[in-house]
């Protein structure tokens, strides 16, 4: 009998962008690949939180509107980077176009989807994959195989 290697199903979450009339304008699909996504998203999310803290401090010290704009620009770039990490470049552009440059509204509506749905689901998938790999590892068989 031949050894069989299986391809497992892909996990996916959907984000619906609903307009002011309550109609679904766009449905975006997020492929949750735990191996790649968790690391990439965690880096971008950590960067976003660092920039948020940094910009809050800069905003308090800002004396001109120009300095405040620099803070918001940094924060906006961090949000766009996070969106691109999760959704990809094309779907991130769809989200940005949908919110028409209203980054605060975008952040209030989309970031909770990332923090409450995508990241926990990726961690759950990663832990399940780890558990499956470890369950297949049999220490007695390995000792017998290598003569220990």
């Amino acid at each position: 009998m031949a050894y069989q290697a299986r391809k497992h199903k892909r996990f996916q979450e959907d984000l619906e962008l609903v307009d002011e009339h309550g109609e679904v304008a766009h449905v975006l699909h997020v492929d949750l690949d735990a191996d790649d996504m968790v690391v990439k998203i965690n880096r971008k999310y950590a960067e976003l939180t660092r920039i948020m803290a940094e910009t809050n401090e800069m905003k308090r010290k800002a004396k001109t509107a120009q300095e405040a704009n620099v803070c918001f620009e940094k924060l906006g770039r961090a949000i766009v980077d996070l969106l691109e990490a999760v959704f990809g470049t094309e779907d991130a552009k769809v989200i940005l176009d949908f919110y028409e440059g209203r980054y605060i509204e975008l952040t209030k509506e989309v970031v909770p989807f990332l923090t409450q749905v995508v990241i926990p689901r990726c961690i759950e998938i990663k832990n399940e994959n780890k558990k499956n790999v470890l369950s297949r590892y049999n220490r007695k068989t390995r000792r017998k195989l290598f003569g220990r």
Side-chain angles (χ1 to χ4, degrees):
M1 184 172 137
Y3 180 83
Q4 295 179 344
R6 292 190 181 161
K7 184 176 180 179
H8 296 279
K9 71 176 186 170
R10 297 187 60 107
F11 297 98
Q12 191 176 60
E13 290 288 340
D14 295 333
L15 173 68
E16 294 180 346
L17 299 176
V18 180
D19 64 13
E20 58 273 357
H21 305 293
E23 297 176 16
V24 177
H26 302 281
V27 177
L28 304 174
H29 307 287
V30 179
D31 286 325
L32 302 176
D33 177 19
D35 298 332
D36 185 39
M37 288 285 280
V38 171
V39 174
K40 187 168 50 171
I41 292 172
N42 281 340
R43 282 187 189 141
K44 297 296 182 182
Y45 188 70
E47 181 72 11
L48 175 63
T49 55
R50 183 188 64 75
I51 288 176
M52 284 178 75
E54 184 181 299
T55 54
N56 281 337
E57 185 65 28
M58 288 173 61
K59 192 170 58 173
R60 269 189 252 130
K61 293 179 181 179
K63 294 182 174 111
T64 66
Q66 179 74 18
E67 291 174 353
N69 283 340
V70 170
C71 296
F72 289 121
E73 208 171 286
K74 280 178 126 178
L75 191 56
R77 186 68 235 160
I79 290 169
V80 170
D81 287 346
L82 180 62
L83 292 175
E84 287 177 351
V86 174
F87 296 101
T89 307
E90 290 178 21
D91 286 345
K93 184 168 176 14
V94 169
I95 294 170
L96 293 171
D97 291 344
F98 179 76
Y99 283 101
E100 300 169 343
R102 296 186 311 261
Y103 287 99
I104 294 172
E105 183 181 358
L106 182 152
T107 303
K108 285 177 21 183
E109 296 295 326
V110 178
V111 172
F113 170 73
L114 303 177
T115 59
Q116 297 170 7
V117 177
V118 173
I119 292 173
R121 186 72 176 121
C122 282
I123 291 170
E124 182 182 308
I125 293 167
K126 179 182 150 193
N127 290 339
E128 189 164 319
N129 288 347
K130 182 179 177 181
K131 188 175 107 179
N132 287 340
V133 168
L134 290 176
S135 71
R136 291 182 184 155
Y137 176 77
N138 185 343
R139 187 176 172 145
K140 289 181 182 179
T141 305
R142 182 183 164 100
R143 283 185 172 182
K144 187 176 178 183
L145 183 66
F146 293 110
R148 294 184 187 166

